[in-house]
Amino acid sequence: MTISETTAGTVPQAQATSADAPVPAPARRINLMDKAPDFYQAMFALDKAAARGLDPMVRELVRIRTAQINGCAYCVDKHSADARTLGLSEQKLYGVTVWRETPFFTARERAALALSEAVTALGAHGVPDDVYDEAAALFDEDELPRLIAMCVTMNAWTRIGVTCRLSPAPRA
């Protein structure tokens, strides 16, 4: 994942006052890439390690769902675009928020989405056994650790995005 500069807070005043113009995002609080580059490089390395050997579509679905749950607009935008580049259909992309109620996802994708949700919203008792067991049954001994690592890594990324108020730049 690459978090680039955004245009948050830079909408010209004339545009910002139009009722039909997009409302600018809140201003970024801090740019960690500039202020803590060693930390950022470690995050990039962690992300790369988590993704190694994991199906790219599963990887992006986990990233999107985690970002949705954590409210990271930057990550939802970035990973939705990345998933589209990989060939994810619009229908399937729109269905990520309601994946349990759709027929669009494979058993592996559903297990990855369920694990992502459980890792992201840890309850008092952690990740439920049935969620973990389903993922363990569908992902082999090399894939399962990468799936778990991606869930953990994406939660770190989204917490950076939300805390720093990263916002996606509007596309033309």
Side-chain angles (χ1 to χ4, degrees), residues 66 69-70 114-129 131-132 148 151-152 155 159:
T66 302
I69 294 166
N70 286 332
L115 186 63
S116 174
E117 288 181 356
V119 170
T120 301
L122 284 176
H125 302 289
V127 174
D129 288 339
V131 171
Y132 180 87
I148 293 166
C151 293
V152 170
N155 271 285
R159 281 158 171 78

Side-chain angles (χ1 to χ4, degrees), residues 60-143:
E60 293 309 318
L61 289 171
V62 166
R63 287 173 168 168
I64 292 165
R65 189 64 187 128
T66 302
Q68 290 171 337
I69 294 166
N70 286 332
C72 184
Y74 180 90
C75 292
V76 168
D77 181 73
K78 181 196 183 327
H79 296 295
S80 294
D82 291 348
R84 289 297 315 266
T85 299
L86 290 172
L88 186 72
S89 70
E90 285 187 39
Q91 186 179 40
K92 201 167 182 177
L93 179 60
Y94 301 151
V96 172
T97 58
V98 290
W99 63 268
R100 284 181 179 85
E101 288 78 33
T102 70
F104 312 145
F105 299 92
T106 68
R108 284 169 51 90
E109 290 168 341
R110 294 173 71 81
L113 288 164
L115 186 63
S116 174
E117 288 181 356
V119 170
T120 301
L122 284 176
H125 302 289
V127 174
D129 288 339
D130 63 325
V131 171
Y132 180 87
D133 292 345
E134 183 69 14
L138 294 169
F139 289 87
D140 69 30
E141 65 182 27
D142 295 324
E143 295 171 311

Side-chain angles (χ1 to χ4, degrees), residues 10-34:
T10 62
V11 175
Q13 186 60 33
Q15 182 183 0
T17 59
S18 171
D20 294 328
V23 176
R28 179 186 278 191
R29 289 178 170 153
I30 188 171
N31 185 330
L32 283 185
M33 195 174 344
D34 288 344

